[in-house]
Amino acid sequence: MTNTTLLPFQRRLLLSLVVTLLALGFLVPSLSTNVASSLDACVIDRSRVHPRTLPMWLNIGDSIIHNATVAILWIAAVLAVIRSELRESPLPSGQALFELAFATLWFHGSYWFLYVFKALRGDIACNGPSSPLYPNGLSGHYAYFGYCLLGLPLFQLHSRSSGDQGKAYQIITPIMYILDAVFAVGAAITLYRTYMHGYHSARQVFLGAALGVCTHVIMYSVLTSKTLKRSQKTGILGGLCLSGFVLTQLTWPSTIVGKAIGPVQIGAHVAVWGLLLY
């Protein structure tokens, strides 16, 4: 593991951001009913107006932009792993793949806790007509992109070379940074549409973003710890994933809205564990 760790002021900045988001989600509404109404309001009533019928930037569907943005993220991350295996990289062989798998699984486990929080909150605001009772209390999109927008640059910094750079390194690096820029634009459009197209209220957005930032800070602290052995880090990760899975099964109203964790998600999770332990 390299020494790319969060500085004290960076930790304070991220902590301040989390506290602010949580305050907007929980504390501020208690001061004013008008604020509470605004935070819980949906920009569009999706039970009456479907977002696809509205004018949209470039007239591209929401899911298409989201899926393309996620694909670009993974291409950029894989390029970072490939770059880490070049002779110029300061990382030992296999380290970047371990870090990517670790961060991915950590988000999986955290996202399962997002299901738990959704179930416990019981907030069904901004649902569409096809799933009016679906627990919708935190925005998964804001949690995901908040986590990844913090994680991708830090992950790529680990394989950055400060010395001589070969041809392959010089080719991969600018492509990777171009993809980073495209990912950032796609993420911004997706997050804008998530709120403005009525998928989530402001409160749900704030809480989702807070979860994404908070879980990334914790993950990065564990991953970059110099006192924990790799086996201990893996054990902590396993505990997070197992507890998130079990609590989701216990709290999620699957008889009403269907299962939260399906076979595809479990299969992908197991596959990433295989990469981590490889």
Side-chain angles (χ1 to χ4, degrees):
M1 176 63 60
T2 59
N3 293 325
T4 308
T5 56
L6 293 177
L7 299 174
F9 82 91
Q10 292 174 315
R11 293 179 185 274
R12 289 195 295 270
L13 178 62
L14 289 175
L15 180 60
S16 299
L17 176 60
V18 172
V19 171
T20 300
L21 292 170
L22 289 174
L24 288 170
F26 282 118
L27 302 181
V28 174
S30 65
L31 303 178
S32 169
T33 55
N34 291 331
V35 173
S37 298
S38 298
L39 286 176
D40 289 322
C42 310
V43 175
I44 295 171
D45 183 355
R46 293 197 300 128
S47 64
R48 299 180 181 180
V49 181
H50 195 284
R52 290 186 181 276
T53 65
L54 301 173
M56 294 185 292
W57 184 78
L58 289 182
N59 198 32
I60 301 175
D62 296 338
S63 60
I64 295 176
I65 291 181
H66 169 268
N67 294 339
T69 302
V70 172
I72 290 170
L73 164 70
W74 277 102
I75 294 172
V78 169
L79 285 178
V81 172
I82 295 174
R83 189 179 69 164
S84 73
E85 296 298 321
L86 300 176
R87 62 177 178 80
E88 299 91 345
S89 174
L91 292 181
S93 179
Q95 179 63 34
L97 182 60
F98 173 81
E99 292 181 2
L100 179 60
F102 188 96
T104 301
L105 289 169
W106 190 281
F107 182 77
H108 281 186
S110 301
Y111 202 86
W112 291 343
F113 274 98
L114 180 140
Y115 289 140
V116 175
F117 296 149
K118 279 187 173 186
L120 295 178
R121 289 202 69 223
D123 183 359
I124 59 173
C126 302
N127 278 329
S130 62
S131 54
L133 299 179
Y134 188 88
N136 201 37
L138 288 85
S139 171
H141 283 71
Y142 272 78
Y144 178 79
F145 285 106
Y147 185 91
C148 293
L149 285 168
L150 286 174
L152 184 61
L154 291 173
F155 174 66
Q156 291 174 342
L157 282 174
H158 283 179
S159 61
R160 184 180 62 181
S161 172
S162 58
D164 294 335
Q165 300 172 357
K167 185 175 181 180
Y169 188 101
Q170 293 175 355
I171 293 174
I172 290 175
T173 299
I175 294 175
M176 190 174 66
Y177 290 153
I178 291 172
L179 291 174
D180 289 351
V182 176
F183 166 69
V185 172
I189 295 173
T190 297
L191 295 178
Y192 171 83
R193 289 184 171 203
T194 296
Y195 176 66
M196 294 303 296
H197 287 185
Y199 294 101
H200 285 286
S201 67
R203 189 200 302 271
Q204 294 166 353
V205 162
F206 291 138
L207 294 177
L211 177 65
V213 173
C214 186
T215 191
H216 182 274
V217 172
I218 297 172
M219 179 279 297
Y220 199 73
S221 298
V222 173
L223 184 59
T224 58
S225 172
K226 296 180 181 179
T227 58
L228 293 173
K229 299 179 181 178
R230 177 179 286 203
S231 60
Q232 293 173 316
K233 296 175 182 180
T234 303
I236 293 172
L237 175 63
L240 171 74
C241 294
L242 179 61
S243 58
F245 179 82
V246 171
L247 288 174
T248 297
Q249 303 307 312
L250 293 175
T251 58
W252 190 257
S254 56
T255 56
I256 300 175
V257 298
K259 293 182 179 180
I261 305 174
V264 174
Q265 189 177 156
I266 294 176
H269 187 80
V270 172
V272 179
W273 267 105
L275 291 176
L276 181 80
L277 300 174
Y278 175 69

